[in-house]
Amino acid sequence: MLDVQLIERGLQKTGKSKGGLARAMGVRPGAVSEILSGIRLIKASEIAPIIEYLELNSVPIMGRVGAGASIEPELEQVPPEGLGEVELPFPMSEETIAFEVSGDSMLPKYENGDVIVVYREQRYPLSSFYGEEAAVRLKSGERYLKTVERGNSPGLVNLKSFNAKPINGVKLEWIGEICVTLPRGQIERLRGKTASKGRKTTRRSSEK
């Protein structure tokens, strides 16, 4: 959902101006201030240019999550800003990050190269995730995409795969609740669309 707080965060994060946003929306300069103050509502036709201009649909890919492979963050060599960004066809909260799926133990639901978007912070207790797929980080550091099941001892869980042996009796340090799953093919199409948009922007700039 696109709201005033999301727009304000987008302006602050990108360092872009309200005047620039107004031009992107095709409205008079004062219209953005009116939206932010609650005087004016956002029109349906204005949602897409706001999202695009403020990059509200960009989510950082902060590494890989193992679906068969064992991902050890200290060996992963991911820069602080992540492996890049994925642009979604809708706005996302700053509370989210993304991971690329590595391995095939969660086929057919998750394929190698798919991207999952999860909440950065764990929002609910461990017991609420029993029976659900989630991105998890073990106390020992490894990161996986698995189904979380109750373990035989308090505080321990079993991590189940669709087509691999379970990992039993482990303690979790973090659970990333999945809010969006993007198939690999869709990711490639979105990246192709972004690259095409960048080429058009460069061409227009060179023609001026």
Side-chain angles (χ1 to χ4, degrees):
M1 181 180 178
L2 186 60
D3 57 23
V4 169
Q5 290 184 340
L6 202 57
I7 294 173
E8 289 177 337
R9 286 199 298 268
L11 288 168
Q12 184 176 13
K13 181 181 177 181
T14 60
K16 294 180 178 179
S17 67
K18 290 187 287 186
L21 176 57
R23 287 191 294 275
M25 295 167 60
V27 298
R28 56 186 177 78
V32 173
S33 295
E34 292 174 358
I35 290 172
L36 296 178
S37 63
I39 298 173
R40 181 184 183 282
L41 296 177
I42 301 170
K43 296 178 181 178
S45 61
E46 296 167 349
I47 293 176
I50 292 173
I51 291 173
E52 181 178 343
Y53 183 75
L54 296 181
E55 302 168 28
L56 299 177
N57 57 342
S58 296
V59 180
I61 300 177
M62 298 308 297
R64 296 176 178 85
V65 62
S70 176
I71 305 300
E72 300 182 25
E74 67 272 16
L75 303 177
E76 200 178 8
Q77 298 183 352
V78 176
E81 65 276 13
L83 297 173
E85 291 186 333
V86 57
E87 288 192 3
L88 308 180
F90 43 79
M92 289 298 296
S93 165
E94 285 187 339
E95 299 173 353
T96 56
I97 55 177
F99 292 101
E100 184 177 307
V101 176
S102 178
D104 57 9
S105 73
M106 296 298 281
L107 285 171
K109 189 169 184 179
Y110 301 95
E111 295 188 9
N112 185 65
D114 289 352
V115 168
I116 58 171
V117 180
V118 305
Y119 287 99
R120 187 186 298 269
E121 303 294 335
Q122 183 176 329
R123 307 189 302 164
Y124 301 103
L126 170 62
S127 59
S128 67
F129 292 97
Y130 291 154
E132 291 188 11
E133 294 104 34
V136 300
R137 185 171 62 243
L138 277 57
K139 285 287 187 182
S140 52
E142 297 97 325
R143 199 165 54 224
Y144 293 99
L145 168 61
K146 300 290 182 184
T147 301
V148 180
E149 301 285 356
R150 186 191 302 271
N152 293 329
S153 301
L156 298 182
V157 301
N158 300 329
L159 301 176
K160 301 290 185 67
S161 298
F162 294 150
N163 50 38
K165 292 181 178 180
I167 302 172
N168 294 325
V170 293
K171 197 171 186 65
L172 300 183
E173 184 176 59
W174 169 81
I175 301 176
E177 179 186 356
I178 299 173
C179 55
V180 176
T181 301
L182 294 169
R184 179 178 57 190
Q186 186 177 2
I187 292 293
E188 292 171 353
R189 287 190 292 273
L190 288 170
R191 285 173 173 166
K193 182 179 178 181
T194 301
S196 175
K197 188 192 305 177
R199 287 194 296 270
K200 289 180 180 178
T201 301
T202 302
R203 186 164 59 247
R204 284 197 298 267
S205 298
S206 64
E207 291 172 352
K208 292 181 179 179

